[in-house]
Amino acid sequence: MAKPITENEKGKEPQILIIDDEADFGDYVSEVAKSLKYTCVATVNATDFKAALNPNVQLVILDLIMPDVDGIEILRYLNQQNCKSKILLMSGFNKRVLEVASDLAKELKLTVVGHVQKPVRKAELEKILNTAMELAKETEIKKPIKAQSTVDITKELIQEGLDKDQFLVYYQPQVHIPTKRLVGLEVLVRWQHPIHGLIMPDSFISKAEALNMIDDLGWRVAEKSFKEMGAFISKNDNSPTMSVNVSPYTLLNLKFPDMLLELAKTNNIRPDKLMVEVTESGLFKDLSSALDILTRLRMKNIKLSIDDFGTGYASMQQLGRIPANELKIDQSFVRQIHEQESARVMVVKIIEMAHALDMKALAEGVETEEQLEYLHVNQCDIAQGYLYSRPIPYNALMDWVKTTNPELLA
Ligand code: G
Ligand code: G
Ligand code: MN
């Protein structure tokens, strides 16, 4: 029986679009893609590439080094076009070029799903293409769920959220790596809105800061978490600490240390079981004012953690002046432990720096056993991430403790 003509690619948009000035290589990749039943078009210059680009393209395969146009220009073009296709980078050069281009793509809000280092054998190329297409599909499906809410966050809406008690607190465990014991909890706010659903902090914290509502919101988070978790964290010496994220704006309020200590007392919480988290970038906006508040907090025995470390611009000298107890290694480095040499260097150096300054090192965003193993070998103290648990509400956290650290409930 003759095959129906619709089997042909004619009229179909390609799922994969290649740009590589080496026509032979483009054709080779294209043949392999087709053998895996993907529709694919290979172009050899920027004009043809731009003409072939359309919203149905799921994967762009991009050669970084070409004579008439370089790959970086194409990345900028894709950004201008608000391109949603996933990107696979190719280069005959060393890995470092691929890594740097990959970082640039991220800055341009493009999603790189893999690398191909030329030359590449058929079997490996097949594996790379299949994985890249899996990832392209996966992120496509996840997008509507992960999409940031488009709600217009106003002062009135936040006030209503406070009045109607719509802000919830979730907790994420922090685990001592060598002993696997629960040593800390991070409090993370969520906004349960009756119409807009669960709104994540990335969508409203900076708005709350801009609208001068962050002190009220932060205070509500502290009140709720202290009340809910106070008894658990104050049980005994082995109880975990609890970390709250504090906005750099709140750090300018001279009354903040006294208010926080008062709230701790009201809830029978030992101050040394509380930790204040400030981001590295927030801290250095106004270091001298922040130092004033931070020193007072430390004098009251409240602990201090520097969040998202490695993404700001702290110098060694500044860091030495901060009376912090903990450095949190930003998740962007942890995620890349097995992909980027530069990320591994950052992780190891941050751990060394923390220890040299008599601080604990905590790795954020730990998702795999392999990442944990690397952190363990390099003497990182504490890990936090989906490997242990996502941020969860009080009851779920207590169930988690019951199965993992029952002695903390005794
Ligand atoms: O899970 P997650 O999406 O919860 O948090 C995203 C970011 O929002 C984190 O970087 C965290 O620092 C910030 N965040 C979460 N809860 C709070 C909070 O109560 N106060 C402040 N200022 N920031 C928070
Ligand atoms: O305040 P901070 O930036 O540290 O907040 C932690 C953020 O990271 C929250 O948004 C939290 O939900 C998120 N997070 C925590 N663990 C993981 C993880 O293992 N993987 C990823 N992708 N995100 C995580
Ligand atoms: Mn944090």
Coordinates of all heavy atoms in Angstrom, one line a residue, residues 307-389:
D307 N 22.2 35.3 52.0 CA 21.5 34.5 51.0 C 22.0 34.8 49.6 O 22.6 35.8 49.3 CB 20.0 35.0 51.1 CG 19.0 33.9 50.6 OD1 19.5 32.9 50.2 OD2 17.8 34.2 50.7
D308 N 21.7 33.8 48.7 CA 22.1 34.0 47.3 C 23.6 34.4 47.1 O 23.9 35.2 46.2 CB 21.2 35.0 46.6 CG 19.7 34.7 46.7 OD1 19.4 33.5 46.9 OD2 18.9 35.6 46.5
F309 N 24.4 33.8 47.9 CA 25.8 34.3 47.9 C 26.5 33.9 46.6 O 26.3 32.8 46.1 CB 26.6 33.8 49.1 CG 28.0 34.5 49.2 CD1 28.0 35.8 49.7 CD2 29.1 33.9 48.7 CE1 29.2 36.4 49.7 CE2 30.3 34.5 48.7 CZ 30.4 35.8 49.2
G310 N 27.3 34.8 46.0 CA 28.0 34.6 44.8 C 27.4 35.3 43.6 O 27.9 35.4 42.5
T311 N 26.2 35.9 43.8 CA 25.5 36.6 42.8 C 25.6 38.1 42.9 O 25.3 38.9 42.1 CB 24.0 36.3 42.7 OG1 23.4 36.6 43.9 CG2 23.8 34.8 42.5
G312 N 26.1 38.5 44.1 CA 26.3 40.0 44.4 C 27.7 40.4 44.2 O 28.5 39.7 43.5
Y313 N 28.1 41.4 44.8 CA 29.5 41.9 44.5 C 30.3 42.1 45.8 O 31.1 43.0 45.9 CB 29.4 43.2 43.7 CG 28.7 43.0 42.4 CD1 27.3 43.3 42.3 CD2 29.4 42.5 41.3 CE1 26.7 43.1 41.1 CE2 28.8 42.3 40.1 CZ 27.4 42.6 40.0 OH 26.8 42.4 38.8
A314 N 30.0 41.3 46.8 CA 30.7 41.5 48.1 C 32.2 41.3 47.9 O 32.6 40.4 47.2 CB 30.2 40.5 49.1
S315 N 33.0 42.2 48.4 CA 34.5 42.0 48.4 C 34.8 41.2 49.6 O 34.1 41.1 50.6 CB 35.2 43.3 48.4 OG 35.0 44.0 49.6
M316 N 36.0 40.6 49.6 CA 36.5 39.9 50.8 C 36.5 40.8 52.0 O 36.1 40.3 53.1 CB 37.9 39.4 50.5 CG 38.0 38.1 49.7 SD 37.3 36.7 50.6 CE 38.8 36.1 51.3
Q317 N 36.9 42.0 51.8 CA 37.0 42.9 52.9 C 35.7 43.2 53.5 O 35.5 43.2 54.7 CB 37.7 44.2 52.4 CG 38.1 45.1 53.5 CD 38.4 46.5 53.0 OE1 37.9 46.9 52.0 NE2 39.2 47.2 53.8
Q318 N 34.7 43.5 52.7 CA 33.3 43.8 53.2 C 32.8 42.5 53.9 O 32.2 42.7 55.0 CB 32.4 44.1 52.0 CG 32.6 45.5 51.4 CD 31.8 45.6 50.1 OE1 31.7 44.7 49.4 NE2 31.3 46.8 49.9
L319 N 33.0 41.4 53.3 CA 32.4 40.2 53.8 C 33.0 39.9 55.3 O 32.3 39.5 56.2 CB 32.8 39.0 52.9 CG 32.0 37.7 53.2 CD1 30.5 38.0 52.9 CD2 32.5 36.6 52.3
G320 N 34.3 40.2 55.4 CA 34.9 40.1 56.7 C 34.3 40.9 57.8 O 34.4 40.6 59.0
R321 N 33.6 42.0 57.4 CA 33.0 42.9 58.4 C 31.6 42.5 58.8 O 31.0 43.0 59.7 CB 33.0 44.3 57.8 CG 34.3 45.0 57.7 CD 34.2 46.3 56.9 NE 33.4 47.3 57.7 CZ 32.8 48.3 57.1 NH1 32.9 48.5 55.8 NH2 32.1 49.2 57.8
I322 N 31.0 41.6 58.0 CA 29.6 41.2 58.3 C 29.6 40.1 59.4 O 30.3 39.1 59.2 CB 28.9 40.6 57.1 CG1 29.2 41.5 55.9 CG2 27.5 40.4 57.3 CD1 28.3 42.6 55.6
P323 N 28.9 40.3 60.5 CA 28.9 39.3 61.5 C 28.0 38.1 61.2 O 27.1 37.8 62.0 CB 28.4 40.1 62.7 CG 27.5 41.2 62.2 CD 28.1 41.5 60.8
A324 N 28.2 37.5 60.1 CA 27.2 36.5 59.7 C 27.6 35.1 60.2 O 28.8 34.9 60.5 CB 27.1 36.4 58.2
N325 N 26.7 34.2 60.4 CA 26.9 32.8 60.9 C 27.0 31.8 59.7 O 27.4 30.7 59.8 CB 25.8 32.4 61.8 CG 25.7 33.3 63.0 OD1 25.1 34.4 62.8 ND2 26.3 33.0 64.1
E326 N 26.4 32.3 58.6 CA 26.2 31.3 57.5 C 26.2 32.0 56.1 O 25.8 33.1 56.0 CB 24.8 30.7 57.7 CG 24.3 29.7 56.6 CD 22.9 29.2 57.0 OE1 22.8 28.3 57.7 OE2 21.9 29.8 56.5
L327 N 26.8 31.3 55.1 CA 26.8 31.8 53.7 C 26.0 30.8 53.0 O 26.2 29.6 53.0 CB 28.2 31.8 53.1 CG 29.1 32.9 53.3 CD1 30.3 32.8 52.4 CD2 28.4 34.2 53.0
K328 N 25.0 31.2 52.2 CA 24.2 30.3 51.4 C 24.6 30.4 50.0 O 24.5 31.5 49.3 CB 22.7 30.7 51.5 CG 22.0 30.5 52.8 CD 20.5 30.7 52.8 CE 19.8 29.5 52.3 NZ 18.3 29.7 52.6
I329 N 25.1 29.3 49.5 CA 25.7 29.3 48.1 C 24.5 29.3 47.1 O 23.6 28.4 47.2 CB 26.5 28.0 47.9 CG1 27.5 27.8 48.9 CG2 27.1 28.0 46.5 CD1 28.2 26.5 48.9
D330 N 24.5 30.2 46.3 CA 23.3 30.4 45.4 C 23.0 29.2 44.5 O 24.0 28.5 44.1 CB 23.5 31.6 44.4 CG 22.3 31.9 43.7 OD1 21.3 32.4 44.3 OD2 22.2 31.8 42.5
Q331 N 21.8 28.9 44.3 CA 21.4 27.7 43.6 C 21.9 27.6 42.2 O 22.1 26.5 41.6 CB 19.9 27.5 43.5 CG 19.0 28.4 44.1 CD 17.5 27.9 44.0 OE1 17.1 27.3 43.0 NE2 16.8 28.2 45.1
S332 N 22.2 28.7 41.6 CA 22.7 28.7 40.2 C 24.0 27.9 40.1 O 24.3 27.2 39.1 CB 22.8 30.1 39.6 OG 23.7 30.9 40.5
F333 N 24.9 28.0 41.1 CA 26.1 27.3 41.1 C 25.9 25.8 41.4 O 26.5 24.9 40.8 CB 27.1 27.9 42.2 CG 27.3 29.3 42.0 CD1 27.0 30.2 43.0 CD2 27.9 29.8 40.9 CE1 27.2 31.6 42.8 CE2 28.1 31.2 40.7 CZ 27.8 32.1 41.7
V334 N 25.0 25.5 42.4 CA 24.8 24.2 42.8 C 24.2 23.4 41.6 O 24.6 22.2 41.3 CB 23.8 24.1 44.0 CG1 23.4 22.7 44.3 CG2 24.4 24.9 45.2
R335 N 23.3 24.0 40.9 CA 22.6 23.3 39.7 C 23.7 22.9 38.7 O 23.5 22.0 38.0 CB 21.6 24.3 39.1 CG 20.6 23.6 38.2 CD 19.5 24.6 37.8 NE 18.9 25.3 39.0 CZ 18.7 26.6 39.1 NH1 19.1 27.4 38.1 NH2 18.2 27.1 40.1
Q336 N 24.7 23.7 38.6 CA 25.7 23.5 37.5 C 26.9 22.7 37.9 O 27.9 22.5 37.2 CB 26.2 24.8 37.0 CG 25.1 25.8 36.5 CD 24.8 25.6 35.1 OE1 24.9 24.5 34.5 NE2 24.3 26.7 34.4
I337 N 26.9 22.1 39.1 CA 28.0 21.4 39.6 C 28.5 20.4 38.7 O 29.7 20.2 38.5 CB 27.7 20.8 41.0 CG1 27.8 21.8 42.1 CG2 28.7 19.6 41.3 CD1 27.5 21.3 43.5
H338 N 27.6 19.7 38.0 CA 28.1 18.6 37.1 C 28.2 19.1 35.7 O 28.5 18.3 34.8 CB 27.2 17.4 37.3 CG 27.6 16.7 38.6 ND1 28.7 16.0 38.8 CD2 26.9 16.7 39.8 CE1 28.7 15.6 40.0 NE2 27.7 16.0 40.7
E339 N 27.9 20.3 35.4 CA 28.1 20.8 34.0 C 29.2 21.8 33.8 O 29.8 21.9 32.8 CB 26.8 21.5 33.6 CG 25.7 20.5 33.1 CD 24.6 20.4 34.2 OE1 24.0 21.4 34.6 OE2 24.4 19.2 34.7
Q340 N 29.4 22.6 34.8 CA 30.4 23.7 34.6 C 31.6 23.7 35.6 O 31.3 23.8 36.8 CB 29.7 25.1 34.7 CG 28.7 25.3 33.6 CD 28.5 26.8 33.4 OE1 29.0 27.6 34.2 NE2 27.9 27.2 32.4
E341 N 32.7 23.7 35.0 CA 33.9 23.8 35.8 C 33.9 25.1 36.7 O 34.2 25.1 37.9 CB 35.2 23.8 34.9 CG 36.5 24.1 35.6 CD 36.9 23.0 36.6 OE1 36.3 21.9 36.5 OE2 37.7 23.3 37.5
S342 N 33.4 26.2 36.1 CA 33.4 27.5 36.8 C 32.5 27.4 38.0 O 32.7 28.0 39.0 CB 33.0 28.6 35.9 OG 31.8 28.3 35.2
A343 N 31.3 26.7 37.9 CA 30.4 26.5 39.0 C 31.1 25.7 40.1 O 30.9 26.1 41.3 CB 29.1 25.9 38.6
R344 N 31.8 24.7 39.8 CA 32.5 23.9 40.8 C 33.5 24.7 41.5 O 33.6 24.6 42.8 CB 33.2 22.7 40.1 CG 32.2 21.5 39.7 CD 33.0 20.3 39.4 NE 33.7 20.4 38.1 CZ 33.1 20.2 36.9 NH1 31.8 20.0 36.8 NH2 33.8 20.3 35.8
V345 N 34.2 25.6 40.8 CA 35.2 26.4 41.4 C 34.5 27.4 42.4 O 35.0 27.5 43.6 CB 36.0 27.2 40.4 CG1 36.9 28.3 41.0 CG2 36.8 26.3 39.5
M346 N 33.4 28.0 42.0 CA 32.7 28.9 42.9 C 32.2 28.2 44.2 O 32.4 28.7 45.3 CB 31.5 29.5 42.2 CG 31.8 30.5 41.1 SD 32.6 32.0 41.8 CE 31.2 32.8 42.7
V347 N 31.7 27.0 44.0 CA 31.1 26.2 45.1 C 32.3 26.0 46.1 O 32.2 26.3 47.3 CB 30.5 24.9 44.7 CG1 30.2 24.0 45.9 CG2 29.2 25.2 44.0
V348 N 33.4 25.5 45.6 CA 34.5 25.1 46.5 C 35.1 26.4 47.2 O 35.3 26.4 48.4 CB 35.6 24.3 45.8 CG1 36.8 24.2 46.6 CG2 35.0 23.0 45.3
K349 N 35.2 27.5 46.4 CA 35.8 28.7 47.0 C 34.8 29.3 48.0 O 35.3 29.9 49.0 CB 36.1 29.7 45.9 CG 37.3 29.2 45.0 CD 38.6 29.1 45.8 CE 39.5 28.1 45.1 NZ 40.7 27.7 45.9
I350 N 33.5 29.3 47.8 CA 32.6 29.8 48.8 C 32.6 29.0 50.1 O 32.6 29.6 51.1 CB 31.1 29.9 48.2 CG1 31.1 30.9 47.0 CG2 30.2 30.4 49.3 CD1 29.7 31.0 46.3
I351 N 32.7 27.7 49.9 CA 32.8 26.9 51.2 C 34.1 27.3 51.9 O 34.1 27.5 53.1 CB 32.8 25.4 50.8 CG1 31.5 25.0 50.2 CG2 33.1 24.5 52.1 CD1 31.5 23.6 49.6
E352 N 35.2 27.4 51.2 CA 36.5 27.7 51.9 C 36.4 29.1 52.5 O 36.8 29.3 53.7 CB 37.6 27.8 50.9 CG 38.2 26.4 50.5 CD 39.2 26.5 49.4 OE1 39.6 27.6 49.0 OE2 39.6 25.5 48.8
M353 N 35.8 30.1 51.8 CA 35.7 31.4 52.3 C 34.8 31.4 53.6 O 35.1 32.1 54.6 CB 35.0 32.3 51.3 CG 35.3 33.7 51.5 SD 34.8 34.9 50.2 CE 34.2 34.0 48.9
A354 N 33.7 30.7 53.6 CA 32.8 30.6 54.7 C 33.6 30.1 55.9 O 33.6 30.7 57.0 CB 31.6 29.7 54.4
H355 N 34.3 29.0 55.7 CA 35.0 28.4 56.9 C 36.1 29.3 57.4 O 36.3 29.5 58.6 CB 35.6 27.0 56.5 CG 34.5 26.0 56.3 ND1 34.6 24.8 55.6 CD2 33.1 26.1 56.6 CE1 33.5 24.2 55.6 NE2 32.6 24.9 56.2
A356 N 36.8 30.0 56.4 CA 37.9 30.9 56.8 C 37.3 32.1 57.7 O 38.0 32.6 58.6 CB 38.6 31.5 55.6
L357 N 36.1 32.4 57.4 CA 35.5 33.5 58.2 C 34.6 33.0 59.3 O 33.8 33.7 59.9 CB 34.6 34.4 57.3 CG 35.4 35.2 56.2 CD1 34.4 35.7 55.1 CD2 36.2 36.3 56.9
D358 N 34.8 31.7 59.6 CA 34.1 31.1 60.8 C 32.6 31.0 60.6 O 31.8 31.2 61.5 CB 34.5 31.8 62.1 CG 34.3 30.9 63.3 OD1 34.3 29.7 63.1 OD2 34.3 31.4 64.4
M359 N 32.2 30.8 59.3 CA 30.7 30.7 59.0 C 30.5 29.3 58.5 O 31.4 28.6 58.1 CB 30.3 31.7 57.9 CG 30.6 33.1 58.2 SD 30.1 34.1 56.8 CE 30.8 35.7 57.2
K360 N 29.2 28.9 58.6 CA 28.8 27.6 58.0 C 28.5 27.9 56.5 O 28.0 28.9 56.1 CB 27.5 27.1 58.7 CG 27.7 26.7 60.1 CD 28.2 25.3 60.3 CE 28.2 24.9 61.7 NZ 29.5 25.2 62.4
A361 N 28.7 26.8 55.7 CA 28.3 26.9 54.3 C 27.1 26.1 54.0 O 27.0 24.9 54.4 CB 29.5 26.4 53.4
L362 N 26.1 26.7 53.4 CA 24.8 26.0 53.1 C 24.6 26.1 51.6 O 24.7 27.2 51.0 CB 23.7 26.7 53.8 CG 22.3 26.0 53.7 CD1 21.4 26.3 54.9 CD2 21.5 26.5 52.4
A363 N 24.4 24.9 51.0 CA 24.1 24.9 49.6 C 22.6 24.9 49.3 O 21.9 24.1 49.9 CB 24.8 23.7 48.9
E364 N 22.1 25.8 48.5 CA 20.7 25.9 48.1 C 20.4 25.1 46.9 O 21.3 25.0 46.0 CB 20.4 27.3 47.8 CG 20.4 28.3 48.9 CD 19.8 29.6 48.5 OE1 20.5 30.3 47.7 OE2 18.7 29.9 48.9
G365 N 19.2 24.7 46.7 CA 18.8 24.1 45.4 C 19.4 22.7 45.1 O 19.6 22.4 44.0
V366 N 19.7 22.0 46.2 CA 20.3 20.6 46.0 C 19.2 19.7 45.5 O 18.2 19.5 46.2 CB 21.0 20.1 47.3 CG1 21.6 18.7 47.0 CG2 22.0 21.1 47.7
E367 N 19.4 19.1 44.3 CA 18.3 18.3 43.8 C 18.7 16.8 43.6 O 17.9 15.9 43.5 CB 17.8 18.8 42.4 CG 17.1 20.2 42.6 CD 16.5 20.7 41.3 OE1 16.7 20.1 40.3 OE2 15.9 21.7 41.4
T368 N 20.0 16.6 43.5 CA 20.5 15.2 43.2 C 21.5 14.7 44.2 O 22.2 15.5 44.8 CB 21.1 15.1 41.8 OG1 22.4 15.8 41.8 CG2 20.2 15.7 40.7
E369 N 21.6 13.4 44.3 CA 22.6 12.7 45.1 C 24.0 13.1 44.7 O 24.9 13.2 45.5 CB 22.4 11.2 45.1 CG 21.2 10.6 45.8 CD 21.2 10.7 47.3 OE1 22.3 11.0 47.9 OE2 20.2 10.5 47.9
E370 N 24.2 13.2 43.4 CA 25.5 13.5 42.9 C 25.9 14.9 43.3 O 27.1 15.1 43.7 CB 25.5 13.5 41.3 CG 25.3 12.1 40.7 CD 23.9 11.6 40.8 OE1 22.9 12.4 40.9 OE2 23.8 10.4 41.0
Q371 N 25.0 15.9 43.3 CA 25.4 17.2 43.8 C 25.7 17.1 45.3 O 26.7 17.7 45.8 CB 24.2 18.2 43.6 CG 23.9 18.5 42.2 CD 22.5 19.2 42.0 OE1 21.7 19.2 42.9 NE2 22.3 19.7 40.8
L372 N 24.9 16.4 46.1 CA 25.1 16.2 47.5 C 26.5 15.6 47.8 O 27.2 16.1 48.7 CB 24.0 15.4 48.1 CG 24.1 15.2 49.6 CD1 23.8 16.5 50.3 CD2 23.1 14.2 50.1
E373 N 26.8 14.6 47.0 CA 28.1 13.9 47.2 C 29.3 14.9 47.0 O 30.2 15.0 47.7 CB 28.2 12.8 46.2 CG 29.5 11.9 46.2 CD 29.8 11.4 47.6 OE1 28.8 11.2 48.4 OE2 31.0 11.2 48.0
Y374 N 29.2 15.7 45.9 CA 30.2 16.7 45.6 C 30.3 17.7 46.8 O 31.4 18.0 47.2 CB 29.9 17.4 44.3 CG 31.0 18.4 43.9 CD1 32.1 17.9 43.2 CD2 30.9 19.7 44.2 CE1 33.1 18.8 42.9 CE2 32.0 20.6 43.9 CZ 33.1 20.1 43.2 OH 34.1 21.0 42.9
L375 N 29.2 18.1 47.3 CA 29.2 19.1 48.4 C 29.8 18.4 49.7 O 30.6 19.1 50.4 CB 27.8 19.5 48.7 CG 27.1 20.4 47.6 CD1 25.6 20.4 47.7 CD2 27.7 21.8 47.6
H376 N 29.4 17.2 49.9 CA 30.0 16.4 51.1 C 31.5 16.3 51.0 O 32.2 16.7 52.0 CB 29.3 15.0 51.1 CG 29.5 14.3 52.4 ND1 29.0 13.1 52.6 CD2 30.2 14.7 53.5 CE1 29.4 12.7 53.8 NE2 30.1 13.6 54.4
V377 N 32.0 15.9 49.9 CA 33.4 15.7 49.7 C 34.1 17.0 49.9 O 35.2 17.1 50.4 CB 33.7 15.1 48.3 CG1 35.2 15.2 48.0 CG2 33.2 13.7 48.2
N378 N 33.5 18.1 49.5 CA 34.1 19.4 49.6 C 33.8 20.2 50.9 O 33.9 21.4 51.0 CB 33.8 20.3 48.4 CG 34.6 19.8 47.2 OD1 35.8 20.0 47.1 ND2 34.0 19.1 46.3
Q379 N 33.2 19.4 51.9 CA 33.0 19.9 53.3 C 32.0 21.0 53.4 O 32.1 21.8 54.3 CB 34.3 20.4 53.9 CG 35.5 19.8 53.5 CD 36.3 19.0 54.4 OE1 36.7 19.5 55.4 NE2 36.5 17.8 54.0
C380 N 31.0 21.0 52.5 CA 29.9 21.9 52.7 C 29.1 21.4 53.9 O 28.9 20.2 54.1 CB 29.0 21.9 51.5 SG 27.7 23.1 51.6
D381 N 28.7 22.3 54.8 CA 28.0 21.9 56.1 C 26.6 21.4 55.9 O 26.2 20.4 56.4 CB 28.1 23.0 57.1 CG 29.5 23.5 57.3 OD1 30.2 22.8 58.0 OD2 29.9 24.5 56.7
I382 N 25.8 22.3 55.2 CA 24.4 22.1 55.2 C 23.8 22.1 53.8 O 24.4 22.8 52.9 CB 23.7 23.2 56.0 CG1 24.3 23.3 57.4 CG2 22.2 23.0 56.2 CD1 24.0 24.5 58.2
A383 N 22.7 21.4 53.5 CA 22.1 21.4 52.2 C 20.6 21.6 52.3 O 20.0 21.1 53.3 CB 22.4 20.0 51.5
Q384 N 20.1 22.3 51.3 CA 18.7 22.6 51.3 C 18.2 22.4 49.8 O 18.9 22.8 48.9 CB 18.5 24.0 51.7 CG 17.0 24.6 51.6 CD 16.9 26.0 52.0 OE1 17.9 26.6 52.6 NE2 15.8 26.6 51.7
G385 N 17.1 21.7 49.6 CA 16.7 21.6 48.2 C 15.7 20.5 48.0 O 15.3 19.7 49.0
Y386 N 15.2 20.3 46.8 CA 14.1 19.3 46.5 C 14.6 17.9 46.8 O 13.7 17.0 47.0 CB 13.7 19.4 45.0 CG 13.1 20.8 44.7 CD1 12.8 21.1 43.3 CD2 12.7 21.7 45.6 CE1 12.2 22.3 43.0 CE2 12.1 22.9 45.3 CZ 11.9 23.2 43.9 OH 11.3 24.3 43.6
L387 N 15.9 17.7 46.9 CA 16.4 16.3 47.2 C 15.8 15.9 48.6 O 15.4 14.7 48.7 CB 17.9 16.3 47.3 CG 18.5 15.0 47.7 CD1 18.2 13.9 46.7 CD2 20.1 15.1 47.8
Y388 N 15.7 16.8 49.5 CA 15.1 16.5 50.8 C 13.6 16.8 50.8 O 12.8 16.0 51.1 CB 15.7 17.3 51.9 CG 17.2 17.1 52.0 CD1 18.1 18.0 51.6 CD2 17.6 15.8 52.5 CE1 19.5 17.7 51.7 CE2 19.0 15.6 52.7 CZ 19.9 16.5 52.2 OH 21.2 16.2 52.3
S389 N 13.2 18.0 50.4 CA 11.8 18.4 50.4 C 11.7 19.7 49.7 O 12.5 20.6 49.8 CB 11.3 18.5 51.8 OG 10.0 19.1 51.8

